[in-house]
Amino acid sequence: MTVRATKFTPEVLLSAPRRSAGVPNWNGSFVLYSVSTYSFAEQERKSEIRVLNVLTGESTLLTNQSGAREPNWLDDGSVLLLTSGDEGATNIVIGSVDGFQENNYTAGTVNASISNIKLKTLESGAIAIAFSALAKPDGSLYNEEIAPKYRSTGKLYKEIFVRHWDTWITPNRNSIFYGTLSKGSDISSQYELSSVTNALKGTNFESPIPPFGGTDNFDLSTNGIVFVAKDPKLLPATHTKVDVYYIPISDFTVASSRGLQEIARPGFKGASSSPVFSPDGKQIAFLSMKQDGYESDKNQLFVVPDVNRPGWVMHYFAGEDDKGAWKLSPDSITWRSDGKVLYFLVSDYGRVALYYTPTAFNQTRSLPKLFFRHNTISDIRPLENGRAFLSGTSMIDNSFYATIESDPSKPPRLVSSASRNGTVFGLSPSQISEVEWDGAANGTKIHAWVIKPSNFSDTETYPLAYYIHGGPQGAWGDSWSTRWNYAVLAEQGYVVVAPNPTGSTGYGQEFTDAIQNQWGGLPYQDLVKGFAWIEQNLDFVDTDRAVALGASYGGYMMNWIQGHPLGRKFKALMTHDGVFSMTAQVSSEELWFPEHDLGGKFWNHQADWARWDPSRFAQNWATPHLIIHSELDYRLTIAEGLAAFNVLQDKGIESQFLTFPDENHWVLNPENSLLWHTVVFDWLNSHVGLPKYSETDPAAKAALEGAMVVGRTGLKP
């Protein structure tokens, strides 16, 4: 970490090195990782691949070649990674971890952009390799840089999706390719890449599933490939059904004559995820949801005990009604190195925790047990002797690595903290606390995080920043973010309260499901009760100087609050990519989302859609309001932000509108993000008596001066 801050500002947040999940060798003595750093002075991002010596704590450079990515171990001393080749090609580069820059060589070149590399050593000594890449309709690799250009800019669509997340759909689809890396008979010979085969050619399947599917959508063993894909017979815009498929492959030169096989999930028609082979390749575990059309249904565990009998599928923790006996919904699964235990990463009470369960068939199916619940675990990798390597973050630490033993009674051992548990940023665990209040529904408790500024004094009071999360089936957790960072807002001089109201994940499926047909109902009431609780119980919070902000569903809630009594409690509001009109959700790409949460198809349930429409209450809007919406957001189109801003301006309400033509539902470019933070903080601070960020920080001032500002003052609606 090259940044040491006296004050944690957006510039520090965005320029701090970003470290990937760690990739340990088999005994965990060395860890590969990539790290990128953005320089505002040079307006340039630099990336490196490094190796950490766990024993000494020393990190050394492997390569800083532009385009180098996805380092993997071939063995404990050899590394494989990808580099960008000429005209859109990808080089597969291999070298010794000692002296990589001098001894590396190119084992093969794939004439396309590839990613999500997976490797498995075969009995022959060759290495099976699988990766994802775009494929043309005929199944061959697609390379955008050398592909023929269309004569017209027109696009004719005969089915939906038309566009998804931030891209327009084309005829090309994600696919999984496989081949081998082999050496000659000469002991000094180098690995060479074989020709590669499209595992999904002729199937109409797409995997990994856009826009976020990656290595978690398929797995590789010595016996074949397992993957998940949407049902190609159903419209992807109105269905979430994702099935699991197994392809036996004998030697990774040709597919088995048995061909592709679907793994049955009787009664389950929702999304499947996290397919993983056992270490010996003889079993498959995966997660699956029961409901089609609901992305936040409970994930339940299935295991195929024998890959040669893919019709034999065991449903773990099923319960009596297929709702699942386990209260929680795991996000992903990993086998322990001996194959006797499955690990789960699980959203659990504002964290991502680690749970485990034995896999032996003859053991009683007791529910998974908690192994470790602290911060947010983002990745787990098995190590020898039943150990495992963890990567994660917290509210004050942007990256930590740790190891665990097979014995849950032994606590994790910290290997590395990129920010030294926050001290590099001037942050401390003492800034973070948790509270609860009674929810709107009987018997519910609303959990919230409280984040104080690092210079907090219990003799002073601080304005409130009420932080509402997106989703709505999501949660604020003890994790790091460069987009919605609690601490960077608190450091402006706020006490941040980040609640997880009805609909949030990690508090049981019933709590998550309760938001259906309640978008402006129970969650809004939870927030009203929370504001009252803060007034009565947090004497260091000045609720007369309160602001509220949120994105996506949190942006919807800002617009909803604006039209209801809670809106008059705040000095200013901020909506990022929020919903203004429920009717406009018909223009979204994933139609199953509003159709599930609002009770059904728009034309059959117009009253249900209208019930929670923020635009119906525009006559009540009165609080100063900043609207942010970007042009590549195809989930919630820019018309939503423009409509809200038009109403505010037409009513004469103090308001501003910030937009980025090159950003999607998120703001990812560092220069754009710095401007985003500057505009947001200037807006909020000016309404609660805090100094404007642009007037106290040269980087913020430069960001504002470097942006186009349009508008005259003194105009009347």
Side-chain angles (χ1 to χ4, degrees):
M1 177 72 72
T2 58
V3 173
R4 180 171 291 277
T6 56
K7 182 177 180 180
F8 186 50
T9 66
E11 183 187 14
V12 173
L13 168 71
L14 299 169
S15 60
R18 302 186 188 187
R19 192 167 70 168
S20 70
V23 182
N25 61 357
W26 185 233
N27 65 15
S29 58
F30 290 91
V31 180
L32 294 168
Y33 65 95
S34 59
V35 60
S36 65
T37 307
Y38 186 80
S39 168
F40 284 99
E42 300 174 7
Q43 294 185 308
E44 182 182 9
R45 181 175 294 282
K46 297 179 180 179
S47 298
E48 299 176 341
I49 293 177
R50 305 185 68 87
V51 60
L52 174 69
N53 184 319
V54 172
L55 180 62
T56 66
E58 181 183 6
S59 172
T60 56
L61 176 68
L62 206 66
T63 180
N64 58 4
Q65 181 179 345
S66 176
R69 60 193 187 275
E70 296 197 34
N72 279 272
W73 295 97
L74 282 181
D75 53 49
D76 278 353
S78 301
V79 175
L80 177 149
L81 53 82
L82 304 179
T83 65
S84 299
D86 296 333
E87 295 186 311
T90 303
N91 298 320
I92 296 176
V93 178
I94 294 173
S96 169
V97 72
D98 296 321
F100 182 89
Q101 296 191 65
E102 292 76 29
N103 63 40
N104 75 81
Y105 63 92
T106 298
T109 297
V110 180
N111 192 26
S113 175
I114 73 173
S115 58
N116 302 313
I117 282 278
K118 291 204 170 186
L119 307 169
K120 184 66 66 172
T121 302
L122 304 174
E123 289 185 7
S124 64
I127 296 174
I129 182 171
F131 56 82
S132 66
L134 279 177
K136 293 182 282 190
D138 65 3
S140 61
L141 285 160
Y142 174 76
N143 184 333
E144 183 178 13
E145 289 198 23
I146 62 175
K149 306 304 180 185
Y150 292 104
R151 293 176 62 183
S152 168
T153 59
K155 299 181 178 75
L156 174 63
Y157 290 89
K158 298 182 178 181
E159 63 184 18
I160 49 178
F161 289 156
V162 168
R163 56 188 190 178
H164 195 198
W165 188 247
D166 60 3
T167 59
W168 288 82
I169 300 300
T170 74
N172 309 305
R173 298 286 184 268
N174 286 344
S175 202
I176 301 167
F177 292 80
Y178 67 87
T180 59
L181 291 163
S182 303
K183 286 185 174 181
S185 57
D186 185 349
I187 193 171
S188 63
S189 62
Q190 299 177 338
Y191 282 104
E192 291 186 6
L193 177 68
S194 68
S195 61
V196 296
T197 300
N198 184 348
L200 309 186
K201 183 177 180 178
T203 64
N204 289 324
F205 295 131
E206 182 169 24
S207 187
I209 302 169
F212 305 121
T215 56
D216 58 327
N217 277 194
F218 70 98
D219 200 19
L220 178 67
S221 80
T222 56
N223 298 312
I225 293 172
V226 63
F227 68 94
V228 294
K230 283 204 165 191
D231 188 333
K233 300 184 296 296
L234 301 174
L235 283 175
T238 54
H239 294 273
T240 59
K241 186 172 184 282
V242 173
D243 297 314
V244 186
Y245 301 90
Y246 170 55
I247 306 175
I249 306 176
S250 55
D251 60 1
F252 283 85
T253 58
V254 294
S256 165
S257 59
R258 285 186 290 161
L260 183 147
Q261 303 168 41
E262 181 177 349
I263 297 174
R265 304 172 292 141
F268 276 66
K269 300 183 182 298
S272 300
S273 60
S274 196
V276 285
F277 284 107
S278 59
D280 60 9
K282 295 179 179 179
Q283 301 178 65
I284 297 170
F286 63 93
L287 301 172
S288 193
M289 298 178 179
K290 188 172 180 63
Q291 294 186 57
D292 184 15
Y294 184 27
E295 69 169 351
S296 298
D297 196 12
K298 182 189 290 186
N299 268 323
Q300 300 188 49
L301 174 65
F302 290 81
V303 174
V304 178
D306 183 355
V307 294
N308 294 314
R309 299 171 60 191
W312 178 21
V313 183
M314 300 182 67
H315 181 187
Y316 282 37
F317 325 124
E320 296 180 359
D321 54 7
D322 279 344
K323 290 185 177 180
W326 190 18
K327 174 184 176 182
L328 297 176
S329 176
D331 302 317
S332 65
I333 47 179
T334 303
W335 294 82
R336 199 169 70 182
S337 57
D338 58 10
K340 295 180 179 180
V341 166
L342 278 170
Y343 290 121
F344 306 88
L345 295 185
V346 187
S347 296
D348 184 11
Y349 207 79
R351 289 105 171 147
V352 175
L354 180 64
Y355 281 75
Y356 71 100
T357 190
T359 58
F361 301 146
N362 59 355
Q363 292 197 5
T364 303
R365 286 282 168 259
S366 59
L367 297 180
K369 297 179 181 178
L370 178 65
F371 197 111
F372 174 74
R373 181 173 62 196
H374 191 58
N375 307 137
T376 288
I377 307 302
S378 58
D379 188 71
I380 178 170
R381 308 273 177 139
L383 301 173
E384 65 178 5
N385 301 324
R387 298 162 55 238
F389 181 88
L390 308 177
S391 300
T393 69
S394 73
M395 289 188 186
I396 60 171
D397 194 348
N398 65 346
S399 172
F400 67 80
Y401 299 150
T403 57
I404 57 171
E405 302 294 328
S406 59
D407 183 356
S409 67
K410 296 181 178 179
R413 184 179 73 86
L414 182 66
V415 170
S416 169
S417 168
S419 68
R420 300 180 185 174
N421 200 28
T423 57
V424 167
F425 299 125
L427 304 176
S428 164
S430 64
Q431 295 175 241
I432 314 300
S433 59
E434 302 168 66
V435 298
E436 278 188 341
W437 58 78
D438 292 332
N442 290 335
T444 60
K445 291 285 187 180
I446 306 304
H447 171 238
W449 295 99
V450 178
I451 304 92
K452 302 171 184 175
S454 59
N455 61 354
F456 176 82
S457 170
D458 55 14
T459 63
E460 298 183 18
T461 60
Y462 300 83
L464 168 67
Y466 215 19
Y467 231 1
I468 313 305
H469 69 68
Q473 293 91 353
W476 291 128
D478 186 8
S479 62
W480 187 265
S481 173
T482 54
R483 291 183 292 111
W484 290 88
N485 190 285
Y486 320 87
V488 81
L489 177 57
E491 290 300 272
Q492 289 292 305
Y494 295 92
V495 168
V496 177
V497 177
N500 287 326
T502 298
S504 299
T505 53
Y507 303 90
Q509 193 64 35
E510 185 177 340
F511 189 77
T512 301
D513 294 345
I515 198 172
Q516 186 177 14
N517 257 326
Q518 281 289 320
W519 267 37
L522 291 174
Y524 172 75
Q525 296 168 38
D526 291 339
L527 298 175
V528 170
K529 291 171 73 71
F531 193 94
W533 187 93
I534 295 166
E535 285 182 305
Q536 297 165 12
N537 293 276
L538 300 184
D539 55 7
F540 51 85
V541 175
D542 182 358
T543 53
D544 289 333
R545 292 191 297 149
V547 294
L549 59 163
S552 196
Y553 173 79
Y556 160 88
M557 184 53 70
M558 292 303 102
N559 295 345
W560 184 261
I561 284 172
Q562 174 70 279
H564 289 79
L566 184 58
R568 308 293 79 78
K569 296 280 189 177
F570 297 105
K571 295 296 186 183
L573 302 171
M574 191 282 280
T575 290
H576 175 103
D577 289 12
V579 176
F580 173 74
S581 167
M582 281 301 190
T583 304
Q585 297 320 292
V586 177
S587 65
S588 183
E589 10 87 285
E590 293 182 340
L591 290 174
W592 47 261
F593 185 88
E595 288 177 357
H596 174 271
D597 276 17
L598 300 175
K601 303 288 186 183
F602 166 71
W603 52 88
N604 292 328
H605 297 268
Q606 292 191 41
D608 293 325
W609 285 54
R611 182 184 182 191
W612 306 118
D613 188 335
S615 69
R616 284 205 307 126
F617 303 93
Q619 70 273 16
N620 301 328
W621 286 27
T623 301
H625 204 149
L626 169 64
I627 305 293
I628 302 176
H629 218 115
S630 295
E631 292 189 29
L632 295 184
D633 186 353
Y634 300 155
R635 184 139 303 174
L636 296 170
T637 67
I638 193 171
E640 294 290 271
L642 288 168
F645 183 57
N646 287 351
V647 167
L648 290 162
Q649 287 280 298
D650 205 16
K651 287 176 64 71
I653 300 169
E654 184 186 357
S655 51
Q656 293 181 8
F657 179 73
L658 174 65
T659 186
F660 299 95
D662 55 346
E663 299 285 3
N664 55 34
H665 202 55
W666 303 331
V667 176
L668 302 177
N669 179 289
E671 298 288 345
N672 291 346
S673 186
L674 183 58
L675 176 64
W676 185 97
H677 282 88
T678 301
V679 172
V680 170
F681 290 174
D682 276 4
W683 175 259
L684 299 178
N685 293 2
S686 66
H687 286 89
V688 297
L690 292 174
K692 284 187 175 183
Y693 176 44
S694 63
E695 295 176 353
T696 60
D697 190 289
K701 181 181 179 181
L704 199 58
E705 291 176 345
M708 183 176 71
V709 180
V710 180
R712 295 169 289 166
T713 59
L715 295 179
K716 301 297 182 182

